[in-house]
Structure formats: C-alpha cells, structure tokens
Amino acid sequence: MAQAKINAKINDASKGKFTRTLSMADRSGRLLENLDQIEMRVEALREEATAMEQERECLIELIQSIQHSQEMRSICDGEREELSLTASRLLGRTLTVNISVDTIRNDQQEDALKKAMAIIDEIAGKVLEDMEGAKKRLQALHAACVTEAPPVPVDQKFQSVVISCALEDQKKIKRRLETLIRNMDNAEKTIKIMDNQKVDHSIANGK
C-alpha cells in the first residue's frame, strides 16, 4: 500500500514536469512567432521611412529646379516674385520634415562609405571649373553602382569601394550620383537656352 502511494506521487510529479515542459515549449514558440511578425513590421517600417526620405529629397530637388529654371527667369517680375515666395514656402515646409533611417555598419563599411562620399565630393566641387569633365567622371562612378552593362566606362577603383559599403549605403550612393547628374543635365539645358537667346538677340539687333 505504501509502495503504491509512492508510485502515485512519482507519476504525479512526472506528469507535472512533462506538462510544464510542453507549456514552456508552447510559450517559446508563441514568442518566436511574435518576434518574427515584429521583425517583418520593423523591415516594412524601415522601407516606408526610406521611401519617405527619398520622397523628401525628390521634393526638394523639384522645388529647387523650379526656383532656378529658365521658365522662372522668363516671366515678369511680379509673377516671379509671387512664385518665388510660394516655392520658398514649400521648400521651408519640406525641410521641417526630418526622416532618419540609420544604417548598421561595421568599421570596414564605415570607412568605405567615407571614401565613397569623399570621391563624390571632390568631383562635385570641380563642377564649376569643368562641367563636362565632372559629368563624365560622375557617370563613370554611377556606372560602378549598376548591375546592368553601362554605356560608359566603369570606375573600377570606385566600384571596389562601393562593394565594401553596406547595401543600404550602396543605394544611397547611387541615388546621390543620379541626383548630381540630373542637376548637371538641367544646368546644361539652361545654359544652352541662355546661349540661344543671346544669339537670337544679336541677330535681332543686326550684330
């Protein structure tokens, strides 16, 4: 009888231990599932914030292109002043939106990003001295950032630097180069328009 009671207690204890183990496994599984769902939402949040950051950059670029456009120069003073004030107001409101998506980098990626940006800054600083030469160099840098075969020579040195950058930084470097090249294209168009206007004016005056 005493032995039966002991066996019953052992069985009860074993059942309790087994039940707790299953319960812990269930809890662990649920927590893991929750974390997986949270991870998906975190990545979606970063993607949305990055998209908003790009939209902010795009809006700033559009407003500034209008401010310095040939169309703005060709209208009367009163209309130009009114439109300039509107553009400045929109630019100011856009600049109040601050979005920051930090990229996690190791030391090698941090150094690579600094090198890449220093190369771009150096070329951008020489745009006024030699626009055509600077544009060709920027195009070579951009060619190093694309996967498809580019129509221009690739800067192999810059490509090795970009490859060492974090993936998110590679995308940002590519976007910055695209913005610089696009701005230079717009500047070249404006210069050509102004040159043509000078020629037309000279012809009209018989010079």
Side-chain angles (χ1 to χ4, degrees):
M1 186 68 179
Q3 185 62 39
K5 289 182 179 180
I6 293 173
N7 290 338
K9 289 180 179 180
I10 292 174
N11 290 335
D12 290 341
S14 299
K15 289 179 181 178
K17 183 178 180 181
F18 187 66
T19 301
R20 284 196 298 273
T21 303
L22 283 178
S23 178
M24 289 173 62
D26 289 340
R27 286 197 295 270
S28 177
R30 285 196 295 270
L31 290 172
L32 180 59
E33 184 179 351
N34 288 337
L35 289 174
D36 287 340
Q37 293 176 355
I38 292 173
E39 182 176 15
M40 294 174 61
R41 293 176 61 182
V42 168
E43 292 307 314
L45 174 64
R46 288 180 62 86
E47 290 178 2
E48 291 174 3
T50 300
M52 292 177 65
E53 188 177 38
Q54 294 175 19
E55 176 66 8
R56 179 182 184 272
E57 294 173 359
C58 182
L59 288 171
I60 292 173
E61 182 182 348
L62 285 172
I63 295 170
Q64 290 178 336
S65 66
I66 291 174
Q67 288 177 320
H68 302 99
S69 67
Q70 179 60 28
E71 289 84 353
M72 186 70 81
R73 297 188 183 95
S74 62
I75 59 179
C76 67
D77 292 341
E79 291 179 343
R80 181 166 58 251
E81 182 179 1
E82 182 179 351
L83 292 175
S84 295
L85 288 173
T86 301
S88 297
R89 177 177 60 81
L90 292 174
L91 180 60
R93 287 181 61 81
T94 305
L95 292 174
T96 62
V97 180
N98 294 312
I99 303 166
S100 177
V101 181
D102 293 333
T103 301
I104 300 175
R105 312 178 185 93
N106 56 35
D107 292 340
Q108 180 183 1
Q109 292 170 335
E110 190 75 37
D111 291 340
L113 177 63
K114 291 179 180 178
K115 289 179 182 177
M117 289 303 180
I119 293 172
I120 297 173
D121 290 339
E122 180 184 359
I123 299 173
K126 297 179 180 178
V127 168
L128 295 178
E129 299 176 11
D130 181 11
M131 181 177 290
E132 185 177 353
K135 182 179 177 181
K136 288 182 179 179
R137 289 196 63 191
L138 290 174
Q139 288 175 330
L141 299 187
H142 181 263
C145 300
V146 298
T147 54
E148 63 274 9
V152 296
V154 177
D155 189 314
Q156 300 290 343
K157 180 180 178 181
F158 185 74
Q159 188 175 54
S160 65
V161 174
V162 173
I163 291 174
S164 300
C165 293
L167 181 59
E168 292 180 356
D169 288 332
Q170 292 179 21
K171 295 177 181 178
K172 290 181 179 179
I173 291 170
K174 181 183 176 184
R175 288 202 306 272
R176 186 185 178 198
L177 288 169
E178 289 172 347
T179 299
L180 286 171
I181 294 171
R182 188 163 53 248
N183 288 343
M184 292 181 70
D185 287 338
N186 293 333
E188 287 178 344
K189 291 177 183 177
T190 300
I191 292 172
K192 288 179 181 178
I193 291 172
M194 294 177 69
D195 286 343
N196 290 335
Q197 288 179 340
K198 289 179 181 178
V199 171
D200 293 340
H201 182 69
S202 298
I203 293 174
N205 292 330
K207 296 180 180 180

